[in-house]
Amino acid sequence: MGRFKVQVDEATLLKAYRIESLEPQEWQDVDHETIDSLAGGMTSSASSSNDAASDPLGLGAIVDVTGMSMEQKAAVLISSKSFDPKAFLSAVHPDATYEELAMGIRNLRHSLDSRSEAIRVLVEENFDRFVSVKFSADGLYGEMKEGLLADSTDFASNALKSQLKLATAKADQVFLPVLENASKADKLRSTLAVFERSKFFFNLPGSLREAVEARRYDAAMRDYKKGKFLLESKPGQLLPTSLATAQSSQSSGSSAVSDSQKRIFDKVWTAVEKVMSEMRET
């Protein structure tokens, strides 16, 4: 199987990968179109090593850049910003006589005059369009300076700022109550979860009375001991501090919170002891 021979153009690679050379020693990010570089000064068609341009002097020679380095291409190709007439003559017309070069100058002047004439005709044919576009652009610019882009409007940003402030105020008006209600709902769910966990303790007076009336004294004693254990060893699980604070809006400080908890526990446990005392008397 034959090998593919791929010709790589240096200028195209440098611009594509944004590097200064084909052997960079550090990270580079070079924009060849905005800096003065050989790669940036060559057009895509001019830098292609597979293209052969016609002779601008009209002497029948072919400007073949195959095998040339990027520096040589930049000097020989007339579309390059680094075009060098001496290098061009040396590479393309090394054996041209004086008469041939004089003819080439005449051909070049004739080519330039032809292009100038073509440009003149183009301008004449489209002069009315040029004037119309210029007039319309000037009119639009004047209207924008007096209205939309006037200094008094801070270059059209004042209206935008007002709309943003109005939208912010409207959003606060609509969404703040929603957020507050969501916070209240979270607190209620937390409170219900606490009471669910503490349901046994707070329902203890009623469950004990039912057990005593049904003469299930063993169950009553078991529940009584369980409630006493929870009260003495795990009061925080029965009524967390945050819930105890909510129960007493007048409380402040850790001691007040403790008093609030104690009042709630004492109320429940007094009812428990009353039921157990009645059970002992039966």
Side-chain angles (χ1 to χ4, degrees), residues 102-175:
M103 182 183 296
I105 292 176
R106 290 193 296 271
N107 293 337
L108 182 59
R109 286 176 178 171
H110 177 72
S111 176
L112 292 176
D113 291 341
S114 300
R115 294 184 181 182
S116 299
E117 179 66 15
I119 294 175
R120 185 185 65 79
V121 172
L122 177 65
V123 172
E124 287 181 353
E125 292 179 349
N126 296 276
F127 182 76
D128 292 340
R129 294 182 181 179
F130 294 153
V131 174
S132 177
V133 170
K134 179 66 166 60
F135 180 78
S136 299
D138 290 343
L140 178 61
Y141 178 74
E143 292 179 2
M144 294 180 70
K145 287 294 291 183
E146 293 177 1
L148 183 62
L149 299 181
D151 293 341
S152 58
T153 65
D154 197 12
F155 301 101
S157 64
N158 284 344
L160 179 60
K161 291 178 181 177
S162 300
Q163 292 297 324
L164 289 175
K165 290 181 179 179
L166 181 61
T168 301
K170 193 67 176 179
D172 290 342
Q173 180 182 359
V174 172
F175 289 108

Side-chain angles (χ1 to χ4, degrees), residues 261-278:
Q261 287 178 310
K262 189 174 185 302
R263 284 195 299 271
I264 296 174
F265 293 151
D266 288 347
K267 185 176 181 179
V268 175
W269 198 249
T270 298
V272 169
E273 291 291 357
K274 181 179 179 181
V275 174
M276 295 304 295
S277 177
E278 293 175 356

